[in-house]
Amino acid sequence: MRPVVWVPADAAAVAAGADEVAAAFAAAGATVRRNGSRGMLWLEPLVEIETPAGRIGYAACTPEEVAAVLEGSRESIGLVEAHPWLTYQDRVTFARVGRIEPADLTAYQLHGGLLGLRRALTLDPAAVVAEVTASGLRGRGGAGFPTGVKWETVRTAAGEVKFVCANADEGDSGTFADRMLIEGDPLSLIEGMTIAAYAVGAHEGFVYVRSEYPHAIAALRRAIAVATDAGILGASVLGSGFAFTLEVRVGAGAYICGEETSMLDSLEGKRGEVRAKPPIPALQGLFGAPTIVNNVLSLATVPMILADGGAAYAARGIGRSRGTQVFQLAGNIARGGVVEVPFGVPLRTLVEDWGGGTRSGRPVKALQVGGPLGAYVPATQLDLVAGYEELAAAGAMLGHGGIVVFDDTMDAAAMARFAMEFCAKESCGKCTPCRIGSTRGVEVIDRIRVGPPESRAAEVELLQDLCLTMERGSLCAMGGLTPLPVRSALTHFPEDFGGSR
Amino acid sequence: MPGSSAAPPTAPPASRADRVRALATDRLTLRGPLLPILHAVMDEFGWIAEEDLPIIADVLNLSRADVHGVVTFYHDFRRTPPPAHRVQICRGEACQAVGAQGLYEAATDRFADDTTIEVAEVFCLGNCALGPSGTIDGHLLGRLTLDRIDAAAAGWSR
């Protein structure tokens, strides 16, 4: 019998040589299946061979090792699903990622797919929204707004035409969960968007994917074609008579288009400039129509909530952070990847137990949590627990769940300067505090770093004043939150700015 | 390009202007068609020329300034022909945590005098656990080093 070999087609695995490994297995006569990644990215390409006992993993496989893997003479990591990195997780949103081929509808349904949509279609739309509200799900894009409340606003808004938009413009450095979900289990996003559309009475949906994610774009387009052929999308969703179609739109390299109103303008074919709110997109969104804009992970979690009930999801987590969070371990980390666990996990557990500390082996100096607009958390605060309010209370931000680890060679002042530089480069330019403030921020940090010591105190005061102006006066989170990494770097690591503790 | 090899050899080649007009017209039924049109022009020609703008504006019944404004807003829309080879290096925080800044500066210096190779910064390729990340001629790579870029460049005719 031909051996069955799983080789991830995830972009991170492909970057590590997975395509060449897959081709070598095919040439050696194996049946090759291309799954998503298990999320143990430091082991990629992680090849799995099917056995009666389950799938046995071979880490960091090269084309030269194919024969040895097939003979069983190469060292394995044992049963992949028994690996402690996975067994200690509670995978809800990522339940299928890595286990199935992304466009395999049969496997999708064998692993619980479509149960949520089928149940939703038997319910009144208001009851669907109520289930999502009961789950306590909050927007996973970073803002943490209650998803059910947003949906209810769109559901009750007047309008013949409404839209559902998935924000897959995952531009934050240190975050890659949207990409991995779309590449590994795109049908769950499609199912979640279809449930959202049914709940609010929308018949058209868009997924706005950043151009930096070509593998995700291809995987999603394939899955939409499969779903359309199977009648999951189209004029009558699963024979219900409810119509919903879905289209992929590709971004064009502008970070700001991950901001929801900027994304809407980009979808409309305009410059991706931020809109003033109100009106909120739920009432006047895409082309002025009531619009759901949700992050990929929020939407992909909805099928499970409808299948198992909102209470099952809400049973996980702490405080007002219900359910699970897909954490992404990135930067200078020994074992980087995706960890999905209920809220409330200490940062130390993520970084040390799952992550194994720094890749360099040096001490951790800081984490940047929540993307480029998130705070630098010093190593002394590793015992903070991950929840929206819990991190906010410490002056930090959960954001999209990305954790970037830095070792003790990090220059916090250089990173603060980079935060301002990034803002200057990626600002949409609509509001002055962000457009001008970011450039002035680079200049003042330069003067603090290399200017005369006697003027340092005055320059720091100026920087604090500038941060306040940006925070209070900016139209969106880009200008409003850039002060977060800057101030936290200054607060926790004044010595990097030429000051003393 | 899809279909281009199927064209009969005797057919006169379509002018760029004709092709741009066709690419735009083909997408007129889309909602908000301008970005898909610009992507289509990029996919076919590799860049967006000044003379493309009035054609697209005409098809969409927009002002030329509107189209110019959109083209110049987005980093992806090149307004000069692409170089023979392109290296992108991520300068996002996660990649900077593993030395991307130094790699970016070294690679920029290395090919500063070579007009056939462009070294560009990019902010996040979504490969943040295996940085420094980059692309070489569009192929995503992790744990990128200057040696790896040099090895690729050694195979390029210059």
Side-chain angles (χ1 to χ4, degrees), chain A residues 15 17 74 156 203 232 272 313 412 456 458 462 491:
Chain A
R74 190 201 189 263
T156 54
H203 300 290
I232 298 165
Y313 193 71
R456 187 185 163 279
L462 192 61
T491 301

Side-chain angles (χ1 to χ4, degrees), chain A residues 20-48:
Chain A
E20 291 78 6
V21 172
F25 274 109
T31 298
V32 178
R33 301 203 192 287
R34 303 301 301 269
N35 53 336
S37 169
R38 298 281 189 166
M40 301 188 281
L41 294 176
W42 79 100
L43 297 180
E44 296 294 356
L46 174 58
V47 167
E48 301 173 27

Side-chain angles (χ1 to χ4, degrees), chain A residues 132-489:
Chain A
V132 173
T133 305
S135 76
L137 178 67
R138 293 167 68 177
R140 294 290 185 256
F145 188 82
T147 305
V149 173
K150 187 184 282 184
W151 286 23
E152 184 65 7
T153 308
V154 179
R155 189 186 74 80
T156 54
E160 283 296 301
V161 177
K162 298 178 183 179
F163 295 102
V164 174
C165 295
N167 186 342
D169 195 42
E170 185 181 46
D172 286 354
S173 174
T175 66
F176 43 83
D178 294 350
R179 177 186 67 67
M180 288 187 58
L181 188 285
I182 291 174
E183 291 175 10
D185 190 20
L187 290 164
S188 66
L189 173 62
I190 293 169
E191 184 181 350
M193 291 183 75
T194 309
I195 294 169
Y198 174 77
V200 302
H203 300 290
E204 285 178 71
F206 292 91
V207 186
Y208 188 92
V209 191
R210 60 200 300 257
S211 62
E212 292 86 347
Y213 284 1
H215 301 83
I217 292 164
L220 185 57
R221 287 196 165 134
R222 257 195 317 276
I224 288 174
V226 165
T228 304
D229 286 346
I232 298 165
L233 294 172
S236 178
V237 169
L238 293 176
S240 65
F242 174 74
F244 183 60
T245 57
L246 200 49
E247 200 180 311
V248 176
R249 285 298 173 86
V250 180
Y255 172 79
I256 193 60
C257 290
E259 197 283 334
E260 62 174 357
T261 62
S262 167
M263 186 193 85
L264 293 172
D265 266 26
S266 186
L267 276 172
E268 292 180 7
K270 300 173 185 163
R271 294 162 65 86
E273 285 184 1
V274 171
R275 300 178 186 173
K277 289 193 275 194
I280 56 172
L283 296 174
Q284 289 179 45
L286 189 61
F287 299 106
T291 304
I292 286 184
V293 182
N294 275 147
N295 173 255
V296 169
L297 299 182
S298 311
L299 288 162
T301 305
V302 165
M304 172 273 169
I305 289 169
L306 264 295
D308 296 353
Y313 193 71
R316 299 167 165 95
I318 51 161
R320 289 177 50 220
S321 305
R322 308 314 309 176
T324 59
Q325 170 69 39
V326 180
F327 294 96
Q328 300 126 81
L329 306 182
N332 194 334
I333 187 132
R335 298 193 293 263
V338 158
V339 177
E340 181 175 2
V341 286
F343 286 100
V345 63
L347 296 177
R348 183 183 302 282
T349 305
L350 292 167
V351 171
E352 295 183 356
D353 296 350
W354 263 287
T358 61
R359 191 200 298 174
S360 63
R362 300 182 67 92
V364 172
K365 174 164 173 170
L367 318 176
Q368 190 179 28
V369 183
L373 306 177
Y376 285 100
V377 175
T380 51
Q381 293 184 1
L382 274 176
D383 292 316
L384 280 173
V385 297
Y388 291 104
E389 283 70 29
E390 290 73 12
L391 286 176
M397 182 181 87
L398 177 66
H400 186 47
I403 296 176
V404 175
V405 180
F406 290 82
D407 73 12
D408 61 353
T409 61
M410 167 211 190
D411 178 348
M415 297 316 297
R417 182 191 191 277
F418 177 75
M420 287 291 191
E421 180 196 352
F422 180 67
C423 184
K425 283 194 168 147
E426 295 297 326
S427 171
C428 81
K430 185 152 178 168
C431 74
T432 315
C434 175
R435 183 184 68 242
I436 307 289
S438 51
T439 296
R440 294 288 97 86
V442 170
E443 294 164 357
V444 68
I445 293 172
D446 278 345
R447 290 199 300 271
I448 292 170
R449 293 175 79 198
V450 300
E454 60 272 19
S455 63
R456 187 185 163 279
E459 299 287 7
V460 167
E461 192 183 341
L462 192 61
L463 178 61
Q464 296 283 14
D465 189 56
L466 177 66
C467 283
L468 193 67
T469 302
M470 290 176 70
E471 181 181 79
R472 298 217 176 138
S474 297
L475 208 46
C476 81
M478 174 116 212
L481 289 178
T482 291
L484 203 53
V486 174
R487 279 197 193 121
S488 56

